[in-house]
Amino acid sequence: MTIGTEHEYSINDAHFAALPVSDQILRAICGSYQSEILFGEVKLGKELQKTVLEFIPRVPASGPAALEAMLMQGIRKFYHIFPSQYHLLGLGMHPALTLDRTAVWDHDEGKYYEAYDRLFNIRQHGWLNIQALQINLSYAGEKDLLMQYNRIRTLLPYLIALTASSPLVEGHLTGNMDNRLIYYRRNQDVIPQICNGIIPARIRSIAEYRDAQEQIFSALRARDAGILCEEWLNSSGLIIRFSRSCLEIKAPDEQECIRSDMAVAALVTALLRCPTLPVESDQEALLALTEVAIEKGTAGLGPELEALYRRAWQEATAEERQYLPVIESRIANGSLAEQITERFRSENAIGPILADMAHCLRANQPYGMK
């Protein structure tokens, strides 16, 4: 198995106001408005919103250490070019961003965005203020694909709880730990099968998955939006990328630093080796657990997460065990969202929190750990 990850970071000024300048940054580096460029050991790319840059390791790897090295080389290279002009920030949403401070990428792919906007209205938080950690896992044939897919879908509520990092919207606490998914899961309500409540149903064959995908494509064609009939359209928390021969986990919030992201990846790969897991597989039960995870983070699923952590540690490689203590810390001390919430309620100031989060990314230091 090989692993690949994708990381989305907001672009900020010195006061952590989000800046819609991804196009200007890419042009400053390569001389033109490219949507993706090679940037040392990473690919640097745009997202729908100009306030975000995406960092992707140049190639997949067999474990998290190689990915971490590539990504940190990319982040260091970024700050070598822009030492103080821009400040990158992780988290599942920019905590203070208001929609009037955003802009949509307007240099290519306009037909796709026009179709999305006509059907779903992309001028909202579920489109213009979301930052995900995506984990891509290779598969070897249909049997392996089905095993991984059906195992990962049962883990999604726990991954959501662990990675929740979006408790603030437009500078205010909402009472939920993962607001990104609240917006994300309803941003295409016109065709609800696209997101499917975050948790996909169990599948018994690739043909079954393709049949469900074709139903979505039929709904799009009926709305004169056939241009969107691509495998990446599926917005569930887990999808199959046949063109890349991988599964793509889309549910986690972006974390504060690469090491924390790699800890999530290490947890997943370790749990995939377990013969059995103490988790639900029923769709309604998984959806109910997801609601708990979105609202409470790790606080709502503590005993279950502790049991999964013990299983992961037993099956983890020596390399993965270097990262898993980050997960142990999040289970014990709360997800990033829970820690941010506690601090914001105490200090009633967002600036110092964002400064610390930006430092965590630049130094590759998990928040709350020494």
Side-chain angles (χ1 to χ4, degrees), residues 3-7 29 36-45 54-61 64-78 81 258 262:
I3 314 168
T5 51
E6 303 174 37
H7 308 259
I29 294 170
E36 183 178 88
I37 61 173
L38 286 176
F39 188 65
E41 292 300 311
V42 301
K43 299 172 188 175
L44 193 63
E54 183 176 52
F55 285 69
I56 303 174
R58 189 167 184 167
V59 293
L67 296 178
E68 181 182 36
M70 284 186 276
L71 288 157
M72 285 311 301
Q73 193 270 0
I75 289 171
R76 286 191 294 268
K77 185 178 176 72
F78 179 88
I81 297 172
I258 297 297
M262 293 302 105

Side-chain angles (χ1 to χ4, degrees), residues 123-141:
R123 311 284 173 165
Q124 52 182 308
H125 280 300
W127 293 97
L128 294 181
N129 187 12
I130 53 173
Q131 295 165 218
L133 162 64
Q134 294 177 194
I135 302 171
N136 303 314
L137 302 170
S138 66
Y139 58 82

Side-chain angles (χ1 to χ4, degrees), residues 107-127:
H107 300 289
D108 57 14
E109 302 184 357
K111 291 182 179 179
Y112 294 101
Y113 298 152
E114 289 167 10
Y116 269 125
D117 196 30
R118 176 170 57 82
L119 264 62
F120 307 119
N121 177 22
I122 61 176
R123 311 284 173 165
Q124 52 182 308
H125 280 300
W127 293 97

Side-chain angles (χ1 to χ4, degrees), residues 286-304:
L286 291 171
L287 290 171
L289 287 169
T290 299
E291 292 304 311
V292 174
I294 286 173
E295 179 184 354
K296 298 182 178 180
T298 63
L301 298 172
E304 297 93 333

Side-chain angles (χ1 to χ4, degrees), residues 154-171:
T154 67
L155 297 175
L156 290 180
Y158 308 101
L159 297 179
I160 291 167
L162 283 166
T163 64
S165 65
S166 48
L168 289 148
V169 179
E170 297 192 2

Side-chain angles (χ1 to χ4, degrees), residues 92-226:
M93 296 178 67
H94 189 289
L97 179 66
T98 55
L99 293 178
D100 60 310
R101 297 294 300 262
T102 67
V104 174
W105 180 266
D106 55 0
H107 300 289
D108 57 14
E109 302 184 357
K111 291 182 179 179
Y112 294 101
Y113 298 152
E114 289 167 10
Y116 269 125
D117 196 30
R118 176 170 57 82
L119 264 62
F120 307 119
N121 177 22
I122 61 176
R123 311 284 173 165
Q124 52 182 308
H125 280 300
W127 293 97
L128 294 181
N129 187 12
I130 53 173
Q131 295 165 218
L133 162 64
Q134 294 177 194
I135 302 171
N136 303 314
L137 302 170
S138 66
Y139 58 82
E142 183 168 7
K143 182 178 179 181
D144 186 44
L145 181 154
L146 295 174
M147 183 282 292
Q148 288 193 53
Y149 186 95
N150 289 324
R151 170 67 61 87
I152 292 169
R153 65 176 283 273
T154 67
L155 297 175
L156 290 180
Y158 308 101
L159 297 179
I160 291 167
L162 283 166
T163 64
S165 65
S166 48
L168 289 148
V169 179
E170 297 192 2
H172 302 286
L173 294 171
T174 69
N176 294 305
M177 297 300 107
D178 195 329
N179 285 287
R180 169 183 152 265
L181 285 184
I182 288 177
Y183 287 105
Y184 177 81
R185 68 183 178 184
R186 68 187 187 211
N187 69 2
Q188 298 171 81
D189 270 352
V190 175
I191 306 176
Q193 309 99 295
I194 292 177
C195 187
N196 200 30
I198 303 297
I199 308 297
R202 186 179 185 276
I203 57 171
R204 292 164 291 186
S205 66
I206 289 176
E208 186 176 356
Y209 182 91
R210 288 192 182 277
D211 286 345
Q213 183 174 259
E214 184 55 37
Q215 292 178 26
I216 297 172
F217 290 172
S218 295
L220 288 168
R221 294 187 194 104
R223 292 166 172 80
D224 193 27

